[in-house]
Amino acid sequence: MPAHDTTLPGAPCWVDLMTSDAAKAREFYAELFGWTSEEPNEAFGGYFNFSKDGKVVAGGMTKQQPELPDVWSVYLLTPDAEKTAAAVPAHGGTMMISPMPVADLGVMAVLTDPGGAAVGMWQQGLHRGFGVLAEPGAPGWFELLTRDYAAAVTFYQEVFGWKTNVVSDTDEFRYTVLVDDAGEQHAGIMDASGFLPEGVPAHWGVYFAVEDTDAALALTVKLGGAVVQPAMDTPYGRLAIATDPTGATFKLVGKNIEEPAKD
């Protein structure tokens, strides 16, 4: 797998799991994605890193507030966490955790955007973020589902400096992506106002890349997880949504199933 070092400001650079059972999570993701994991580091609240073939792909820890659901969180890269945090309230967001140094690893903060979706930010220190990306067993895509699409797009443009392209702008499918100067896509924002169930907040999600979406989904169930949305072919790959054994939602992306040959 190629090394990866996120350098585009505003691009997703890390994901981590807040879980009610770190031991079970480490076992589950090891079996599902072939990850290895460090022993929880008590100096950092029990935080640990997951790796794929020796390259870091995600973090995890036992959640500090038992009443909150288990969840995967996305972090966006910022060259200056204090400056980014200062721009959040002026553009309709709210700071939840102000920028705080994590030893010499970097600076982290957590905010909610105008639609109420929580997202982290990370200013790189020694921890550079993903060691590999968009390969089987690594994060493959990142997506915000929001009821406040226009406000969200403007927020990420103004606060994180996103350069964006509109993929579609119809009532059925409204989607904007973060692109770099070469046009490569790094994350998406979807207008979910027409399908997010009542009571489900706007949220960021992570897709993990797999060789075979159906096989990964079947293994998820075998390991104690559950299917939220069965695998389906799309123009962007064969997608599915699942939960791990303690209820944290994640998504899968793999190759589409080839259409059978026509007579």
Side-chain angles (χ1 to χ4, degrees):
M1 291 185 178
H4 180 87
D5 184 2
T6 306
T7 57
L8 178 68
C13 62
W14 195 241
V15 294
D16 62 19
L17 172 67
M18 296 294 109
T19 178
S20 54
D21 191 331
K24 183 178 290 186
R26 292 167 67 197
E27 181 179 353
F28 173 81
Y29 291 103
E31 293 288 338
L32 182 60
F33 297 133
W35 289 356
T36 57
S37 57
E38 303 168 340
E39 289 299 318
N41 188 329
E42 296 309 319
F44 296 105
Y47 201 91
F48 57 90
N49 287 326
F50 289 108
S51 296
K52 175 68 173 177
D53 297 336
K55 297 181 173 65
V56 292
V57 290
M61 67 181 295
T62 301
K63 61 187 181 184
Q64 304 299 305
Q65 297 172 281
E67 70 277 9
L68 296 180
D70 290 15
V71 64
W72 278 99
S73 298
V74 176
Y75 294 78
L76 307 181
L77 180 67
T78 175
D80 188 330
E82 291 287 353
K83 182 177 179 180
T84 301
V88 168
H91 293 88
T94 303
M95 290 305 303
M96 298 175 64
I97 301 174
S98 297
M100 54 180 289
V102 184
D104 54 1
L105 300 177
V107 179
M108 67 85 66
V110 180
L111 62 103
T112 56
D113 66 22
V119 67
M121 69 174 81
W122 182 253
Q123 179 183 325
Q124 294 169 325
L126 294 180
H127 195 305
R128 306 295 296 174
F130 301 122
V132 63
L133 194 62
E135 296 283 345
W141 186 244
F142 313 89
E143 187 174 81
L144 168 64
L145 302 183
T146 182
R147 295 180 179 86
D148 297 294
Y149 174 79
V153 171
T154 299
F155 177 84
Y156 290 97
Q157 289 170 335
E158 296 293 334
V159 175
F160 285 96
W162 278 28
K163 176 182 177 182
T164 57
N165 280 346
V166 176
V167 173
S168 178
D169 192 25
T170 68
D171 289 343
E172 293 75 25
F173 182 47
R174 189 164 282 114
Y175 203 92
T176 289
V177 292
L178 162 67
V179 295
D180 58 26
D181 290 339
E184 182 179 353
Q185 300 179 357
H186 293 263
I189 298 174
M190 180 184 288
D191 180 3
S193 57
F195 63 83
L196 266 185
E198 185 177 352
V200 176
H203 59 275
W204 276 89
V206 55
Y207 290 81
F208 293 111
V210 292
E211 292 281 3
D212 184 324
T213 305
D214 296 83
L217 204 57
L219 182 55
T220 294
V221 174
K222 181 180 179 181
L223 296 171
V227 176
V228 175
Q229 179 178 297
M232 60 181 294
D233 283 356
T234 76
Y236 310 102
R238 190 162 176 80
L239 310 180
I241 306 175
T243 60
D244 68 17
T246 63
T249 299
F250 61 92
K251 302 180 181 183
L252 300 168
V253 56
K255 297 177 182 177
N256 281 330
I257 296 176
E258 294 183 0
E259 295 182 5
K262 297 180 180 180
D263 294 333

